[in-house]
Each structure stands twice: as structure tokens, then as C-alpha cells.
Amino acid sequence: MFDISTPLLLSISKAEKSFYEVGALGVFIFCCLILIIALSACFGVYTVLRTQSVLRGSRDLNQLTGRLFLQGIMTYVVFILAIFMSKKLPMDKCLLCLPILIFYIYLLLHGFTSLCHCIGEKILSNINSPRLGSAFYAVIYASIALLLIGCIPFLGWGLLAVMTIPALGVSVQKLLVKAE
């Protein structure tokens, strides 16, 4: 008979528990693959639409890495301060944070696309690919590689977090160069 006092998962046998654990792992892998495909497609489309900007960002990443890293750290600090200041706003004024979030997402899109192009060019040159020089393929190959690395718990997450810093720096550099 079913006993309400015992949790449902305790009444499941070990074989059934392992089935659920394998199922959860399968769902996790499936979600990771869908996310990788979707983000790679976004990076590829952005590359096609803004090729010169991505190439300029990739060139800046090769030449000004230290400076871009510092700009990325400062950008992180500004966004963290903006988040803390937005928590002080009343609930009906929180929609003011939406433009900040959209701007941050755009900065990450441009920065990661430039970072993927920079890494993708190195990948294509090392494998002697006939597609060397194609910005689209460089971004797609590198984005798939980076996002697969990002699916590794802790190590991959840390690596992606560190790579976000110069990516934000590239985006801020692009904004500063346009302002001049």
C-alpha cells in the first residue's frame, strides 16, 4: 500500500533511481547541445551582419589583450554597481533595468563573437583548413569548441567567466573607437 509519510523517491528501487539519474543526464546533455547550436547560430548570424566590426574586435584582441582585460574588469564593476543600485529601486521602477540588461547582452554578443573569431582563426590555421580566412567558419568552429568546454562543470564555467572579461573589453573598445 502507498504510505504518504515516506517520500516518493525513497520507495523507488535502486534500478529505477539509476534510470532517473541517466535520464536526467540525457536531458542535461540534450539541453547543452541545443544551447550550443542556438548560440553558435547567433554568433554566426552576427558575424555575417557585422563582419568588419568582428574582424576589428578580433584584431584588437590579438594586439591589445592586457588593455582589453582591464577594460573588461572595469565594465564588470560598472554592471555590478548598476545591479546593486537597481535593487534599491522600488518594484515598479525595475523596468528601468531592462535597457541595462539588453545593453549587457549586446556587449557580450559582440565580445564573444570577436573572441570566437580570434580563436577560430588560430584553429583554422593550425589544421590547415581550406576555409582559412572565412570569418563565418572561424566563428562557428570556435564557438562550438568554447561552448563545449563551457559545459564542463566548474572548470569550463570558470574558463568562460574569465573569457568574458576581454570579450567585454573588446565591446567597450568598439564603443570608444566609434565615439572618437
Side-chain angles (χ1 to χ4, degrees):
M1 191 107 182
F2 184 69
D3 185 15
I4 294 180
S5 64
T6 61
L8 183 61
L9 288 178
L10 290 179
S11 63
I12 296 175
S13 68
K14 285 188 177 182
E16 289 174 325
K17 281 185 186 178
S18 66
F19 173 75
Y20 288 124
E21 289 170 359
V22 170
L25 180 64
V27 168
F28 174 74
I29 291 172
F30 177 74
C31 289
C32 284
L33 289 176
I34 293 299
L35 184 67
I36 288 169
I37 291 169
L39 286 174
S40 295
C42 286
F43 294 152
V45 168
Y46 187 80
T47 301
V48 169
L49 295 176
R50 305 288 308 255
T51 305
Q52 292 304 317
S53 178
V54 170
L55 293 175
R56 196 173 315 117
S58 177
R59 185 194 67 224
D60 288 348
L61 264 172
N62 281 327
Q63 296 173 354
L64 308 169
T65 307
R67 178 175 165 187
L68 295 178
F69 198 81
L70 289 175
Q71 285 178 345
I73 289 173
M74 290 189 299
T75 306
Y76 259 138
V77 169
V78 167
F79 279 117
I80 288 171
L81 289 175
I83 288 170
F84 283 130
M85 289 180 5
S86 69
K87 289 191 177 201
K88 302 289 184 193
L89 292 174
M91 196 56 127
D92 60 339
K93 304 286 187 205
C94 282
L95 282 177
L96 296 173
C97 300
L98 193 60
I100 295 172
L101 180 65
I102 291 171
F103 182 65
Y104 183 70
I105 290 172
Y106 174 73
L107 288 178
L108 282 177
L109 176 69
H110 174 74
F112 265 108
T113 306
S114 297
L115 182 71
C116 286
H117 182 267
C118 181
I119 293 171
E121 282 293 315
K122 291 175 175 45
I123 290 172
L124 290 177
S125 67
N126 283 334
I127 62 172
N128 294 326
S129 175
R131 295 186 174 121
L132 184 61
S134 170
F136 178 77
Y137 285 112
V139 168
I140 294 296
Y141 287 156
S143 66
I144 289 173
L146 284 177
L147 293 172
L148 280 174
I149 290 170
C151 289
I152 300 171
F154 305 114
L155 177 68
W157 301 337
L159 184 65
L160 280 182
V162 168
M163 288 188 157
T164 304
I165 295 172
L168 284 174
V170 164
S171 299
V172 170
Q173 178 72 19
K174 178 192 118 179
L175 293 175
L176 293 176
V177 168
K178 267 194 173 176
E180 291 175 358

